[in-house]
Amino acid sequence: MVPAFFNIFGVVFVPLSWMMPPRSPSAPEPQIVAFMQSHNLLIACAILTLFFGFAAVGNAVYLMQIKRMSVSPVFRYALMVGSITGAIVGMLFPMFCFGLGAFRPGYRPSILVMLYDFGYLAYIGSLGCFCIMWMSFALAIILDQNNVLPKWLGYYTIWQYVTELMAAPVWIARSGPFAWNGLMTFWFAMVLYVPWQIIVYVCIYRSIKNQPEDELENAWLHQLPSASDVRPKATA
C-alpha cells in the first residue's frame, strides 16, 4: 500500500497535472493563467482526495519501527507531529490552491497568480517542516542499540533532510539556483531524496520481515491454545 501511494502521488504531480517539476516563479502571467485553469488540475485533486489518506499508513510504518528501538518515545512523537505538519502544508495546501484555481473559470489573473505562488511556496517551501521528522528518524536509528535499521541509513537520512533546509530561500529568490525550481532548492534535493525514499522502504520492509513474533503487540494471540488443542477432562 505504501509504495502504491507514492506511485500515485508521483503520477498525479508529474504526468497528470505537470505541477512537477515546478514551473518558474517568474513565468509570464498568460502561462500561469493557462496552467491554473487546466482541467487536469481538478482530476489530480480528485485523485489526491481519494488517496492522500494512505500517507498515514506510511507514517505508521516509521512509528512502529522506532517503537522497537531502544530510544526515548520523544523520537516517535516528534516524527508523528512533523509528518502531520508537513502533510497539511506540503500536500493539502497545494492541492486546494491549484484545485481552487481550476474549479471555476473567470477568476481574475491576479487571483490565479496569487494561488499559483501560494501553491508552490507551500509545496516547496514546506520542506523544512519535515526536518524535525527526518532528524528524529535519523537520530533514532543512530542511537538505537537494538539494530532495528542499519546505522548507515541514519546518516543517509541526515544528508537527505539537510538538503531540505535549502528550501528557505524560495521565499526570497524568484530566479536562479535558490528559486523554488532552482538547482539547489529543488533538483539537488531530489537527487538525494528519490533514491533515499526507495532505500528506506526496502530497509523497513526487511526489518518487518525479520521482526521476531514475540515483539508483536498481538503476540499473545498466537500463544493461545487452539480449539483442537483443548481436550475435555475425562469424567469418572
Side-chain angles (χ1 to χ4, degrees):
M1 182 181 294
V2 175
F5 165 73
F6 281 99
N7 288 331
I8 294 171
F9 194 76
V11 168
V12 165
F13 275 86
V14 182
L16 179 58
S17 64
W18 290 115
M19 287 186 276
M20 306 300 287
R23 296 165 180 263
S24 174
S26 56
E29 186 177 278
Q31 289 186 12
I32 295 176
V33 171
F35 166 69
M36 292 297 292
Q37 293 278 276
S38 169
H39 291 293
N40 285 354
L41 289 179
L42 293 178
I43 299 173
C45 291
I47 295 175
L48 277 181
T49 300
L50 295 174
F51 289 99
F52 65 63
F54 285 1
V57 179
N59 294 331
V61 171
Y62 290 108
L63 294 172
M64 292 306 297
Q65 295 309 303
I66 295 179
K67 189 175 182 179
R68 297 176 56 205
M69 300 177 184
S70 60
V71 294
S72 170
V74 171
F75 292 97
R76 189 166 72 250
Y77 296 140
L79 186 144
M80 179 174 63
V81 174
S83 65
I84 294 172
T85 305
I88 293 174
V89 180
M91 183 165 60
L92 293 183
F93 281 12
M95 183 188 74
F96 283 117
C97 288
F98 292 123
L100 179 60
F103 179 72
R104 192 186 303 276
Y107 282 125
R108 294 196 301 271
S110 59
I111 294 178
L112 295 176
V113 171
M114 182 186 68
L115 291 173
Y116 176 86
D117 290 342
F118 188 3
Y120 273 122
L121 286 173
Y123 188 80
I124 307 297
S126 67
L127 293 178
C129 294
F130 294 97
C131 286
I132 295 297
M133 175 183 177
W134 299 135
M135 181 180 66
S136 302
F137 184 60
L139 291 178
I141 295 173
I142 294 171
L143 298 176
D144 175 38
Q145 297 179 358
N146 295 336
N147 296 319
V148 174
L149 292 170
K151 301 296 183 185
W152 59 263
L153 181 62
Y155 294 107
Y156 187 8
T157 302
I158 290 176
W159 280 108
Q160 190 278 131
Y161 80 73
V162 165
T163 63
E164 295 182 354
L165 296 175
M166 296 181 185
V170 301
W171 296 91
I172 303 171
R174 296 184 183 178
S175 62
F178 292 102
W180 71 48
N181 66 332
L183 176 64
M184 298 301 296
T185 302
F186 178 76
W187 292 104
F188 180 64
M190 288 297 101
V191 168
L192 289 178
Y193 173 77
V194 173
W196 172 85
Q197 185 69 80
I198 297 171
I199 291 171
V200 72
Y201 276 116
V202 171
C203 291
I204 288 180
Y205 175 77
R206 290 178 177 175
S207 178
I208 293 173
K209 295 291 288 185
N210 296 330
Q211 182 176 354
E213 287 190 3
D214 57 2
E215 290 186 8
L216 299 175
E217 293 185 355
N218 60 347
W220 61 274
L221 291 175
H222 299 281
Q223 299 173 0
L224 293 177
S226 62
S228 59
D229 295 332
V230 178
R231 297 289 188 270
K233 294 183 178 180
T235 56

